[in-house]
Amino acid sequence: MISKSYIFARGKSVITNAVIKGDSNTWKKCLTTATCVEPKGPSVKTQIPGPASRHLKEELDKFQQAATVQLFADYDKSSGNYMVDVDGNTLLDVYMQISSVPLGYNHPAMLEALSDPHNQRTIVNRPALGVYPGADWPNKLKHVLLRPGVAPPGLGNITTMMCGSCSNENAFKNIFMWYAEKNRHGKSFSQDEIESCMINQAPGSPKYSIMSFKGAFHGRTLGCLSTTHSKYIHKIDVPAFDWPIASFPAYKYPLEDNVSANAAEDKRCLAEIEDLIVKFDKEKNVPVAGVVIEPIQAEGGDNHASPEFFQQLRQLTKKYGIALLIDEVQTGGGPTGKMWCHEHFNLSSPPDAVTFSKKMQMGGYYHTADLRPSQGYRVFNTWMGDPSKLIMLEAILNVMQRDNLLEKVSKVGEYTLDNLKKMEKEFSTVINSTRGRGTFIAFNGASPKIRDQIVSKLLAKGIQAGGCGADAVRLRPALTFDRHHADIFLDTLRKVLKE
Ligand code: PSZ
């Protein structure tokens, strides 16, 4: 079979024709050729950030608030699980652009997709998808986002968007429309509604709310920010809706030693959720139209909740006629070993909507047929997503299927988690509360300061990890993160903890 392979020469990717037998090993073969190989391990040549990164940051800072920039990467030289920075440091990246790179850097299958002239034209001619989609759009949606095994079970409708925040933002709006429509009992908009909405007044702009959870992160746009509660710096100075905020379960670890305390914690949170639903309806007159929740609170510190908690939340939302929106922006696309984290929960009925972005490349949400607005132009914007991102996603999904990456994530994740738990026992005064699903793993430092030290010492030894919440270190590697990468991470972490 004729295929294309890539030679990475002096940082430029050059496409050459090559004969590779069978599709299944294209990438592995590419990675084992001398010209396109993943580095054997991290190598650190300078302080990080090094002089070149520091210089670029000064340049950028002249016209942009650049305080958050950690280093500048050389994306021509980065490959697979390794990021190369502008100072020539090679870092094992277990954080992967805040969990948004599914196959590592410069994956040949993704580069190859861009050599197709039809795909090039798809990139050049970015359409206003809501009005002038290309001829292949319905098919692309059907065969990529709605492919069996990709779409969450039971959710056959899809709205495409750009980023995680705008997916949540539009899903909230969609939920409010659904809720209003239910209350309207089939009647069309009243003249009063039509006029009052134009000046932000009820009944056209109703006082409905979205319930969210303490510690949640759903984005930074104006509506989403009212449901984000992870750090004050995200929120301060910005007006917010007075919407209900419930407790998310806070478990004691290890889970197996704290079963009854954690079950009681589930119960406490569920009772609070129900109380808030009733109170916001009956006392505040701001009924809850939807509940938004992460399957694992990521930015808030990798807080997990049990399948039983989510099952009962599904039942509560059904009981009160409230939509359940599961925000899979960070958990979706495979890092927990299933395509969607909520598939681990065995819910009695599917969520009403599931938002995604990050590893899925494009933003959007899956939803039930019920949630589809009856009129057009209600959930809409210029681009409504980006077909070029579906080209990338199609290549990614093909590789995920071909290389059984979900299975790999489960296995490598289990291996990493087991070893981290052993390490936690050995270094119990420094780290604790190791937890995870798949490679979506975190552990806590004994204090925020210790956490910061662990992350910065890992970086100095060539491992790019991330922090989240007050004291957690998190792993968000690519789905191609292998056992030998896990070993490098674990060995380096052991050295750091010994120090
Ligand atoms: O600081 C930030 O703005 C960050 S750091 C990580 C994220 C945002 N994650 C984004 C995110 C998410 O994790 C969940 C669960 N929901 C929504 C979002 C927002 O997605 P974006 O950033 O694409 O708007």
Side-chain angles (χ1 to χ4, degrees):
M1 172 187 187
I2 303 285
S3 180
K4 294 208 168 76
S5 71
Y6 294 82
I7 297 174
F8 295 88
R10 282 191 221 95
K12 297 241 162 48
S13 65
V14 182
I15 301 169
T16 58
N17 283 314
V19 179
I20 295 169
K21 280 197 207 103
D23 220 6
S24 66
N25 283 320
T26 308
W27 178 47
K28 282 175 202 149
K29 286 202 177 171
C30 181
L31 287 185
T32 52
T33 63
T35 45
C36 170
V37 71
E38 211 184 46
K40 287 224 163 52
S43 88
V44 177
K45 299 188 171 132
T46 69
Q47 215 188 359
I48 304 174
S53 268
R54 288 200 299 271
H55 172 71
L56 283 167
K57 186 163 167 164
E58 270 166 36
E59 284 300 299
L60 183 63
D61 201 55
K62 287 177 186 158
F63 41 81
Q64 195 172 83
Q65 167 51 271
T68 52
V69 174
Q70 292 180 16
L71 53 78
F72 286 78
D74 185 334
Y75 290 113
D76 288 317
K77 293 195 182 129
S78 302
S79 81
N81 286 271
Y82 290 86
M83 172 194 270
V84 176
D85 77 3
V86 288
D87 289 284
N89 299 301
T90 301
L91 308 172
L92 175 64
D93 194 347
V94 301
Y95 191 45
M96 280 290 164
Q97 311 291 332
I98 329 184
S99 193
S100 66
V101 179
L103 302 181
Y105 297 108
N106 286 308
H107 195 286
M110 295 173 76
L111 291 171
E112 186 172 330
L114 297 182
S115 66
D116 178 311
H118 171 71
N119 290 347
Q120 288 167 0
R121 285 176 173 76
T122 305
I123 295 171
V124 168
N125 303 297
R126 186 176 183 179
L129 277 170
V131 267
Y132 308 111
D136 61 351
W137 187 239
N139 238 338
K140 271 272 191 264
L141 286 183
K142 209 155 106 192
H143 294 297
V144 182
L145 281 170
L146 293 170
R147 183 188 291 190
V150 174
L155 300 183
N157 277 251
I158 186 136
T159 301
T160 52
M161 282 290 157
M162 270 72 60
C163 64
S165 302
C166 78
S167 304
N168 280 327
E169 195 80 34
N170 283 286
F172 293 175
K173 278 179 53 186
N174 204 143
I175 286 169
F176 290 137
M177 291 166 191
W178 162 83
Y179 196 79
E181 197 127 310
K182 280 201 302 171
N183 288 344
R184 217 174 264 123
H185 302 292
K187 283 188 239 134
S188 49
F189 308 131
S190 69
Q191 196 54 33
D192 193 10
E193 284 173 331
I194 288 170
E195 282 167 21
S196 59
C197 77
M198 296 303 287
I199 50 166
N200 305 344
Q201 301 297 313
S205 300
K207 297 242 179 292
Y208 297 155
S209 63
I210 298 285
M211 177 185 282
S212 56
F213 290 83
K214 291 171 192 163
F217 187 98
H218 299 294
R220 294 167 178 263
T221 50
L222 212 48
C224 290
L225 201 56
S226 286
T227 62
T228 285
H229 315 285
S230 52
K231 291 199 177 104
Y232 80 85
I233 199 72
H234 301 156
K235 293 175 66 74
I236 199 156
D237 296 338
V238 183
F241 288 112
D242 181 17
W243 287 348
I245 309 160
S247 296
F248 190 89
Y251 292 155
K252 292 198 172 81
Y253 286 86
L255 292 179
E256 58 275 17
D257 299 343
N258 293 283
V259 174
S260 60
N262 292 337
E265 175 66 355
D266 279 354
K267 229 172 148 183
R268 179 185 77 84
C269 295
L270 288 159
E272 190 182 318
I273 293 164
E274 189 159 14
D275 275 357
L276 283 169
I277 291 172
V278 174
K279 186 172 143 205
F280 268 72
D281 185 18
K282 299 276 180 289
E283 290 174 29
K284 291 205 161 197
N285 242 341
V286 187
V288 179
V291 171
V292 62
I293 191 162
E294 294 153 274
I296 301 168
Q297 283 191 335
E299 294 315 297
D302 269 31
N303 307 319
H304 289 247
S306 67
E308 294 74 26
F309 171 82
F310 281 98
Q311 287 159 12
Q312 290 185 38
L313 179 64
R314 173 69 287 195
Q315 278 171 7
L316 269 182
T317 48
K318 280 273 178 211
K319 176 175 166 188
Y320 288 96
I322 292 168
L324 177 62
L325 165 57
I326 300 202
D327 176 350
E328 294 249 24
V329 167
Q330 190 151 161
T331 45
T336 69
K338 291 190 187 283
M339 196 66 197
W340 305 101
C341 184
H342 75 268
E343 291 177 75
H344 290 283
F345 300 154
N346 200 14
L347 301 178
S348 55
S349 59
D352 299 277
V354 172
T355 43
F356 57 84
S357 185
K358 294 205 189 249
K359 285 194 172 63
M360 300 296 283
Q361 309 293 291
M362 201 173 63
Y365 54 101
Y366 295 95
H367 57 93
T368 59
D370 271 5
L371 243 67
R372 181 198 287 235
S374 325
Q375 304 85 2
Y377 267 128
R378 300 201 71 188
V379 174
F380 185 88
N381 67 18
T382 306
W383 279 329
M384 298 210 62
D386 181 352
S388 74
K389 297 299 173 202
L390 273 204
I391 293 169
M392 293 293 100
L393 181 60
E394 187 169 22
I396 290 161
L397 295 172
N398 290 344
V399 172
M400 283 173 70
Q401 274 174 344
R402 184 191 74 190
D403 296 348
N404 277 326
L405 290 186
L406 290 180
E407 201 182 306
K408 188 217 266 298
V409 165
S410 300
K411 283 192 182 141
V412 177
E414 204 175 292
Y415 173 78
T416 311
L417 194 65
D418 283 352
N419 279 287
L420 274 172
K421 282 183 178 166
K422 280 182 204 147
M423 222 182 285
E424 176 188 323
K425 286 207 174 105
E426 201 179 326
F427 298 96
S428 60
T429 53
V430 197
I431 60 168
N432 61 72
S433 306
T434 304
R435 55 205 180 273
R437 281 187 191 280
T439 54
F440 203 102
I441 291 173
F443 55 89
N444 289 357
S447 68
K449 193 171 157 220
I450 289 178
R451 186 275 305 276
D452 292 347
Q453 282 175 341
I454 293 173
V455 173
S456 68
K457 287 189 176 201
L458 280 171
L459 183 61
K461 293 185 193 308
I463 309 275
Q464 179 145 277
C468 62
D471 48 15
V473 179
R474 66 174 146 173
L475 269 72
R476 290 298 112 91
L479 309 175
T480 53
F481 185 72
D482 229 319
R483 203 174 149 127
H484 72 273
H485 301 116
D487 284 333
I488 294 171
F489 170 76
L490 291 162
D491 290 347
T492 313
L493 179 65
R494 169 175 292 279
K495 284 185 197 137
V496 166
L497 296 179
K498 270 194 177 148
E499 279 174 21

